[in-house]
Amino acid sequence: NTEIKNLEKEVAENQAALDKATAIRQKQLAEFNAEEKDALEAISALKAAITVLSKHNSFLQMPKSHIVGVAASVQSQLQKHETLFAGVLTHAEKRALTSFMQSPEDYFDASPTFKQSYAPQSGEIFGILKQMLETFENNLSASQKEETANKKAYEDLKAAKENEIAAGQEQIDNKSQELADTDDKNAI
């Protein structure tokens, strides 16, 4: 009887551990799905901004509405993923982006000074956007690799716990049969 009780307790503990691992795994999966969705949206927005900018050799040739749309998209992504870009963008790049986002239509309207041209500024914004895109793509890839590892670890744990539960249940059945046989012999 004591052995059966101990085995039942062990099976219950294994089942509880499996249930807890399943709950943690479901939470991890939900977090990953949300993170992946955000990253894919950001990548899509940045690719669209880069595409719009690359179709126009400089901001001077671009319609005002496109510049404003690109600036709004960049601002949205910067605000949404501020912590991600904290260590990626330099102060100068942040200043350039802030200046661009605050008044995109005016950003390249000023007359060039001696030896100044529009190309370096538009090239700088273009480069920053490419850098932001690369950061998101790298983070998405790392996140997907981590998700794959988490999934495998959970599947391994689940298989091990299910085997332990099955073995414990089998031992309970064997011990119960032994107890029944012993009780029958004692009754005779």
Side-chain angles (χ1 to χ4, degrees):
N1 282 334
T2 303
E3 289 177 17
I4 292 172
K5 284 181 184 176
N6 287 339
L7 288 170
E8 286 172 344
K9 181 181 174 191
E10 187 179 313
V11 167
E13 287 171 355
N14 284 331
Q15 185 62 51
L18 179 58
D19 293 345
K20 183 177 179 183
T22 300
I24 290 170
R25 178 68 192 120
Q26 288 172 341
K27 182 181 176 197
Q28 284 176 337
L29 183 60
E31 288 172 356
F32 168 75
N33 288 336
E35 184 180 316
E36 182 180 46
K37 181 182 176 213
D38 280 353
L40 290 173
E41 286 174 2
I43 288 169
S44 176
L46 288 169
K47 282 183 178 179
I50 290 169
T51 300
V52 167
L53 295 179
S54 67
K55 286 182 181 177
H56 305 280
N57 291 334
S58 77
F59 285 108
L60 293 174
Q61 300 169 357
M62 187 183 299
K64 190 176 183 178
S65 63
H66 286 137
I67 294 174
V68 172
V70 168
S73 178
V74 170
Q75 185 173 16
S76 169
Q77 295 308 316
L78 275 175
Q79 288 173 347
K80 194 172 187 179
H81 304 284
E82 188 175 345
T83 56
L84 178 65
F85 293 118
V88 177
L89 299 176
T90 65
H91 292 296
E93 290 170 333
K94 287 178 187 174
R95 277 194 305 273
L97 281 175
T98 301
S99 174
F100 173 65
M101 291 180 298
Q102 287 175 347
S103 57
E105 64 279 352
D106 297 337
Y107 192 64
F108 295 100
D109 283 351
S111 299
T113 59
F114 183 68
K115 292 186 177 180
Q116 180 185 3
S117 70
Y118 296 110
Q121 289 179 312
S122 63
E124 181 181 10
I125 297 295
F126 197 67
I128 293 169
L129 293 179
K130 283 187 172 183
Q131 181 182 1
M132 290 169 64
L133 175 63
E134 185 178 309
T135 299
F136 271 105
E137 289 173 337
N138 289 341
N139 284 351
L140 177 61
S141 176
S143 182
Q144 288 170 333
K145 288 176 185 172
E146 183 182 337
E147 169 59 17
T148 301
N150 287 345
K151 183 178 179 181
K152 179 168 178 13
Y154 170 74
E155 293 299 328
D156 292 346
L157 175 71
K158 181 180 175 185
K161 287 296 177 187
E162 286 175 345
N163 287 340
E164 289 176 18
I165 290 168
Q169 197 60 50
E170 185 179 331
Q171 287 180 331
I172 289 171
D173 293 344
N174 290 342
K175 292 292 179 181
S176 295
Q177 187 59 47
E178 267 183 53
L179 180 61
D181 291 346
T182 303
D183 287 345
D184 284 346
K185 288 179 185 176
N186 287 341
I188 298 177

